[in-house]
Amino acid sequence: MPMPVAVVISGRGSNMEAIARASLAAGSPFKVVSVIADRETAGGLARAAALGIPTSVVPVKQFADRGSFDAALATELEASGAQLIALAGFMRILSAEFVQRFEGRLLNIHPSLLPKYKGLDTHARALAAGDSHHGASVHYVTAELDGGPVIMQGRLRLRSADTSDTVSARVHTLEHIIYPHVCTLIAGRRVEWRAGKVFFDGAPLATPLIEESDAAA
Ligand code: GRF
């Protein structure tokens, strides 16, 4: 039976859609069973519904504090039966309690080559630093923001003509490849979380798996 996956979003949900489309392909080892947003206005809700995926909203504005929002989100996730949870453009910081509850089952995608550029404005920061390469990272979520062990990175070479907008588009193209790929590897038990470390094909993963691309987008 395919591994049930929930995707949690705040925005347009292009990564959610890439994961969902991969899961709909014949023979996929995982299946997106739920898409949850923290706001009604998340564009990804309509994209998910169009693919026939159940959606729900845990409206962040209706909760007095982070703890009560996280508890409601956790209840929704447990109800979905998901074994793997993919945060995809989810713009909330989750409490340590939440992260601990879903330890080893919680993924995030971050638009930089972690550990570089945790936090916001990653494309502008990579360009301002004159970096030769940039990209995105899929990592397990731990209590440290953008600090959990990285599973896979999509890497591209920055071009002299690149702007934040062009880099954003190029990085998104890579994200849509690596996030479904990681879900496939986890559902196929090739990637595993063991006591805070990533294992790949039964051995500790010393450095992230890399997807190289010069995709123009
Ligand atoms: C992506 O760039 C992801 O790395 C970051 O938020 C963005 C979400 O984009 N965490 P989308 O909503 O999946 O299109």
Side-chain angles (χ1 to χ4, degrees), residues 136-189:
S137 306
V138 177
H139 64 95
Y140 282 109
V141 176
T142 62
E144 188 198 339
L145 183 67
D146 300 329
V150 177
I151 303 163
M152 182 178 285
Q153 295 185 317
R155 226 168 76 109
L156 52 75
R157 182 182 292 280
L158 288 171
R159 300 171 181 153
S160 54
D162 268 326
T163 63
S164 279
D165 284 349
T166 62
V167 173
S168 171
R170 294 178 68 207
V171 168
H172 263 98
T173 302
L174 271 176
E175 290 184 336
H176 299 162
I177 297 167
I178 63 173
Y179 217 170
H181 194 171
V182 169
C183 293
T184 298
L185 291 173
I186 291 175
R189 315 279 176 198

Side-chain angles (χ1 to χ4, degrees), residues 57-107:
V57 180
V58 182
V60 69
K61 284 191 180 151
Q62 288 178 20
F63 294 88
D65 51 41
R66 186 188 293 177
S68 54
F69 170 78
D70 284 6
L73 179 61
T75 302
E76 195 70 30
L77 285 167
E78 298 286 14
S80 75
Q83 284 175 26
L84 183 66
I85 298 154
L87 307 180
F90 178 61
M91 298 305 288
R92 308 286 307 167
I93 294 175
L94 294 162
S95 59
E97 291 74 20
F98 182 98
V99 171
Q100 199 165 18
R101 180 165 172 178
F102 294 101
E103 187 186 72
R105 298 199 281 146
L106 194 55
L107 302 175

